[in-house]
Each structure stands twice: as C-alpha cells, then as structure tokens.
Amino acid sequence: MSPRPITRWPSKHQLKTQRPWLLLIVITFLLSIITFNLTSFILQHANSLGRSCSPLVGSVVPVENRPRMAIVSLSNRVQETVWQNKKAYAKKMGYRFIDASWMIDRSRPPSWSKILAVKSSLRDHDWVFWNDADTLVTNPDIYLENILLALIGRNDFNSTPDFILTEDYNGVNAGVFFFRKSEWSERFLDTWWNQTSFVKFGSTKSGDNDALMYLIANLPKEEKQVHVRISPMQCLFNSYPWFPSRKSVYRLLLSPWTTWQGAYSEGDFMVHLAGIGNKKEWMSKMIQDTRTPRRKTFSNLN
Ligand SMILES: *[C@@H]1O[C@H](CO)[C@@H](O)[C@H](O)[C@H]1NC(C)=O
C-alpha cells in the first residue's frame, strides 16, 4: 500500500481572507441553480397555483350547431407521434385534420405556405385552426369551441371576430391561430401572402411572422377591434415550455408577466416548441409527459 498523499487543507483563516471570491462564486452558483429550478417548478405548476388561462370554469360539451372545424398543419420534418397526437384529438372531438404539405410553395420558406393552406381549407370549413408542426395537444379534453367561446363570449361562431391569435415576448405569434370563413379573412390572408418584402431565406426566421406583426400593427384600430381577437392569456392555446437558459432567464427578468401568461403548465391545451433547437427530443418528452398523469420536470433538457 502506498502512503496516502497528505492533503493540506487551508485553514479557516486562509479561506476567509484569501478566497472570498471562491466562496462567492460557489454561493452564487448554488443560488442560481435553486432559483432556476424553483422558477421551473412554479411555472410548470402555474395552473395549480391559481393561473387561469380561460375565464371559463370547466368546459361545455358543444352539441348543437357545431361549426365545421378543421385543424390544418404542414408535416415537413415532423415526428410521426405528433401527427398521431393531432389526428387522435381531431377524431375524438369531431374535427377534420388536414395535412396541407402538398401545397407548399417552393418559392418561399415552407412556413409561408400556412397562408395558402389556411385559405384553401376555409373553403369547406367555418373555422380553421392552424398548427405549426412543432405543436402538440397536451389536454385533449378541451374543445376548440370552448377556446372560441372564451374569447368571443358567445356561443355562435358565425360572425366576427375572424382572426384569433396569441401574443408572446415578440408580439403576435403566427404559429397557432384561428381563422373564420369570411371575406375579411380571405382578403387578410391575401394581403399577408402579398408581403413579399418580408420573405427571408437562410435564417431561422422566414419572415411570415414579421409580416403578420406588421399587418396587425398597421390595421386601422376599428378594423382590428372588430375582426381580430388576441387572447389575453397566451396559455389558452399556445403555451411555451419554460426551462432555464440564458434567453429564458433574460426574458423572465424583462417580462415576468408574459412568462407567467405563456409558460406551459399542467392542464394547458397546447404546447408550442417555438424557438427551441432540439425539437424532436422535446416532442418525445412532452408526449411522454402528457401520457403520464404525474409529470416530471424537464429541466434536464434544453
Ligand atoms: C395580392 O397580390 C396580387 C398580385 O399582385 C393582386 O392581384 C391582389 O389584388 C393582391 N391582394 C391583396 C389583398 O392585396
């Protein structure tokens, strides 16, 4: 047996006087880990902590005069499981599910084709619910009618508003939204498609969301009031998972209220992996989480 090397620990005095910065770093590090995990935990349980994504308590089962509703999405680069998730939800609730991949216009980044897909699907439906491919139904017991009811405030969906969407840190989000079959909607979609100056190639942004922000910001006030409805709570149908990262911490500090309104929590209708890099891994994780009643933290992914 070789003799154990003698470790020479610095005396308490030395630690105090010579390395206060070391202690400070360790404490700061531990504190931030605790804060991050606590924040994650709080946001994941936002709904049990009193957050309400919808003014409606419980959900009404729609029976009469149900609008013809289509859920429309593009399937490029998406997992089969996501597809199954949407199909199962649509079937359960009696909606049509449309894969509009066949109508992708190759002259622009694929994301722009959602405009064409929605416009075409509106021909045969009263309402179209657009879903980006990186979204997942996380609470299949919520009817789309109840989401509309929460925002429109009445039970018939045959008149304005025509366009229903949510806002995140950047403004209106073009990942998940509703359009009603109407002349206004058709014209708005055409105008949106016509914003060619926003088309961007080769970056993470394709420009369709920027074009939408521009259009919404420049709508005459009265027109916007009548035709557009922005959900007061993002979590009504477009929740973003929150996990510690430089960006999310920065956003949390700058806009804590937006974070609270939009962070994915148990019971939310839909999760949207907007701006997340490893979407496939996240999708599997979210699917697992929605299958198991008691959800685990997803802090080990980012
Ligand atoms: C969109 O552009 C096309 C082609 O330039 C034009 O015919 C059409 O009127 C435009 N629509 C709207 C609503 O701006």
Side-chain angles (χ1 to χ4, degrees):
M1 258 174 84
S2 58
R4 284 178 62 193
I6 298 164
T7 319
R8 295 193 63 231
W9 293 97
S11 71
K12 271 184 190 170
H13 177 74
Q14 272 175 316
L15 251 186
K16 256 186 207 155
T17 54
Q18 289 175 6
R19 301 199 180 154
W21 51 270
L22 189 66
L23 202 63
L24 206 68
I25 289 177
V26 171
I27 289 177
T28 311
F29 183 71
L30 288 176
L31 272 181
S32 24
I33 291 191
I34 292 169
T35 311
F36 289 162
N37 281 312
L38 192 66
T39 308
S40 267
F41 182 86
I42 289 174
L43 290 171
Q44 276 171 49
H45 296 85
N47 294 340
S48 348
L49 293 169
R51 181 181 77 171
S52 172
C53 298
S54 154
L56 298 172
V57 181
S59 57
V60 185
V61 178
V63 274
E64 278 172 69
N65 303 322
R66 293 187 70 191
R68 287 170 306 162
M69 185 86 75
I71 302 173
V72 185
S73 197
L74 293 170
S75 68
N76 60 318
R77 291 182 294 131
V78 85
Q79 272 177 301
E80 179 60 23
T81 37
V82 175
W83 224 231
Q84 294 308 328
N85 163 274
K86 298 285 173 65
K87 264 193 196 156
Y89 170 72
K91 191 169 174 220
K92 176 183 171 190
M93 298 309 217
Y95 310 130
R96 192 142 160 244
F97 181 69
I98 299 175
D99 173 10
S101 310
W102 60 273
M103 57 170 70
I104 289 184
D105 183 320
R106 299 279 162 203
S107 69
R108 298 189 190 188
S111 184
W112 279 89
S113 292
K114 68 178 75 172
I115 302 170
L116 306 177
V118 169
K119 195 182 161 195
S120 130
S121 307
L122 274 176
R123 276 182 217 133
D124 306 319
H125 298 91
D126 302 314
W127 283 87
V128 163
F129 180 44
W130 169 263
N131 290 183
D132 268 5
D134 57 349
T135 59
L136 200 66
V137 175
T138 42
N139 186 347
D141 294 331
I142 295 178
Y143 283 91
L144 297 178
E145 284 94 330
N146 279 310
I147 293 175
L148 294 180
L149 179 61
L151 291 170
I152 298 175
R154 55 184 154 74
N155 223 333
D156 86 88
F157 309 120
N158 307 320
S159 53
T160 57
D162 297 290
F163 185 22
I164 291 181
L165 68 174
T166 56
E167 269 177 338
D168 63 14
Y169 303 94
N170 301 312
V172 289
N173 178 256
V176 189
F177 54 78
F178 293 85
F179 262 103
R180 186 177 77 89
K181 180 190 178 80
S182 73
E183 273 174 32
W184 184 91
S185 297
E186 208 166 301
R187 204 180 57 244
F188 187 89
L189 288 163
D190 280 346
T191 312
W192 187 5
W193 179 255
N194 279 3
Q195 304 305 307
T196 47
S197 62
F198 285 92
V199 176
K200 247 186 253 168
F201 283 98
S203 82
T204 49
K205 279 187 160 191
S206 46
D208 55 300
N209 206 137
D210 290 334
L212 180 64
M213 280 182 203
Y214 168 81
L215 289 180
I216 294 290
N218 289 286
L219 268 188
K221 200 174 159 226
E222 273 161 38
E223 187 177 349
K224 188 177 164 191
Q225 219 158 33
V226 173
H227 296 279
V228 181
R229 196 61 46 92
I230 296 171
S231 174
M233 293 296 280
Q234 190 194 333
C235 60
L236 183 60
F237 61 93
N238 191 12
S239 306
Y240 295 174
W242 195 92
F243 55 90
S245 75
R246 204 154 21 120
K247 195 157 124 189
S248 58
V249 170
Y250 177 72
R251 283 171 161 178
L252 174 69
L253 295 175
L254 274 184
S255 0
W257 183 237
T258 310
T259 303
W260 175 253
Q261 287 174 311
Y264 172 77
S265 166
E266 289 185 12
D268 282 355
F269 172 63
M270 179 166 272
V271 76
H272 180 195
L273 307 181
I276 290 179
N278 48 349
K279 288 186 198 283
K280 276 203 168 176
E281 213 178 322
W282 266 95
M283 274 302 176
S284 314
K285 179 86 187 121
M286 292 304 305
I287 284 175
Q288 246 177 27
D289 277 4
T290 50
R291 277 195 196 130
T292 50
R294 184 162 283 281
R295 281 154 219 172
K296 292 152 221 108
T297 56
F298 32 83
S299 49
N300 53 338
L301 279 170
N302 61 50

